[in-house]
Amino acid sequence: MIMNHANILLQTILAVMNTMPEEKVAEISTTEGLGAVSMPDYDIPITSSPNVTDEDELEMKKCYDTYGCFSINYPWSSLKRPVTLFPESPAKINPNYCLYTRRNPTECQQLRLGDSSSVFRSNLMANEKMYFISHGYLETANKTWIHKMVSELLKKDDVNVVTVDWIGGSGPTYTQAVSNIRLVGVMTAHLIKMLMEEGGVNPEKIHLIGHSLGSHLSGYVGHKMKEFGARIGRITGE
Ligand SMILES: *[C@@H]1O[C@H](CO)[C@@H](O)[C@H](O)[C@H]1NC(C)=O
Ligand SMILES: *[C@@H]1O[C@H](CO)[C@@H](O)[C@H](O)[C@H]1NC(C)=O
């Protein structure tokens, strides 16, 4: 069995759980802002809350302030998914969003989370459709199929196309990438929220397109957008 960093983390957590006799709750949390120095995984502070005795309430989660908490309890862990990891930090995954339009069909205009000037300075057309394209496991946005899709979409219509690059979290391992995409989903929803608030984008005009784990991304984005009281127009997973 290959003992990578993630496996060691999981087993450490399980070992800690096993040595907590009557106290059935372990809450694991770190708070890391975007761009904050990420701390090593084995430094996660573990606190227990002695009063909860119901096994169902035993919750293991990791929190990244702006982006909230990520539980690895059911349904994230189950017989079908026995090994579940926490998403790595926002600073490590650091997704990159490039906007392309007919005015910049090949030159990336970066849209930056929390930086509204990156929206104002871009060629974003608030009244046109907006596509998001996301790659899957081990890939990047710098793939031939993505370049082709961007250029075909721009050829067909005068639209906005955003590529989502999450190479910082796309693996290996697959297990880690599966978990990281949950965080990329929340981060991308925050980006869309910024586009709505600062750029006047209508979420109904957004079409998310994803391949493989990029399809999971679309689901997570749609889910988070509901929390923000908005609905994504269309999702295509392949
Ligand atoms: C928690 O447990 C302590 C000691 O067992 C008890 O005194 C206290 O009332 C409990 N608190 C709650 C909220 O159940
Ligand atoms: C994209 O990939 C090509 C080769 O496939 C490489 O030459 C180029 O430097 C890459 N661009 C970026 C931004 O990584």
Side-chain angles (χ1 to χ4, degrees):
M1 181 180 173
I2 299 164
M3 289 295 290
N4 61 26
H5 196 67
N7 278 332
I8 290 169
L9 168 66
L10 184 71
Q11 289 184 4
T12 305
I13 291 167
L14 292 175
V16 169
M17 305 279 298
N18 285 337
T19 56
M20 293 164 72
E22 299 307 318
E23 302 162 8
K24 298 245 175 84
V25 168
E27 184 183 295
I28 299 166
S29 65
T30 68
T31 44
E32 283 176 68
L34 195 56
V37 179
S38 66
M39 46 169 129
D41 286 339
Y42 41 80
D43 269 348
I44 297 167
I46 295 177
T47 56
S48 64
S49 145
N51 279 33
V52 182
T53 50
D54 183 348
E55 187 125 34
D56 289 342
E57 295 194 38
L58 180 138
E59 187 173 24
M60 291 167 65
K61 64 183 179 182
K62 192 166 182 179
C63 302
Y64 294 111
D65 43 39
T66 318
Y67 304 115
C69 298
F70 296 82
S71 164
I72 57 170
N73 287 55
Y74 183 84
W76 308 106
S77 298
S78 66
L79 284 177
K80 286 185 180 160
R81 194 189 270 195
V83 180
T84 299
L85 305 173
F86 297 114
E88 292 176 292
S89 74
K92 155 109 180 21
I93 301 175
N94 193 24
N96 187 42
Y97 303 94
C98 284
L99 169 72
Y100 299 95
T101 68
R102 283 183 174 175
R103 287 164 68 195
N104 60 306
T106 56
E107 176 211 336
C108 161
Q109 282 187 338
Q110 242 188 308
L111 299 174
R112 287 187 206 82
L113 271 161
D115 175 7
S116 48
S117 71
S118 69
V119 180
F120 303 143
R121 282 201 302 259
S122 75
N123 294 336
L124 176 75
M125 300 168 292
N127 296 322
E128 304 301 335
K129 279 182 85 167
M130 184 162 209
Y131 293 89
F132 279 75
I133 307 172
S134 173
H135 63 83
Y137 181 52
L138 295 179
E139 288 198 330
T140 84
N142 188 20
K143 296 296 269 189
T144 308
W145 74 265
I146 292 188
H147 293 307
K148 268 193 186 155
M149 192 176 277
V150 171
S151 104
E152 289 300 319
L153 287 168
L154 292 178
K155 220 184 278 176
K156 184 170 163 290
D157 282 313
D158 195 7
V159 293
N160 307 285
V161 185
V162 176
T163 58
V164 182
D165 188 311
W166 54 287
I167 176 68
S170 71
T173 60
Y174 188 72
T175 307
Q176 185 64 64
V178 162
S179 175
N180 288 346
I181 198 68
R182 293 171 63 190
L183 176 62
V184 182
V186 172
M187 294 176 85
T188 304
H190 277 267
L191 185 90
I192 292 174
K193 186 165 173 265
M194 179 177 80
L195 293 173
M196 289 164 59
E197 290 169 355
E198 311 290 343
V201 166
N202 175 356
E204 297 279 348
K205 291 198 171 183
I206 294 179
H207 182 171
L208 307 175
I209 301 172
H211 167 64
S212 176
L213 286 182
S215 315
H216 296 213
L217 175 73
S218 304
Y220 292 132
V221 173
H223 185 262
K224 189 69 186 175
M225 290 313 295
K226 269 209 293 202
E227 259 177 52
F228 293 152
R231 252 171 57 118
I232 295 294
R234 186 172 168 190
I235 285 177
T236 304
E238 190 279 323

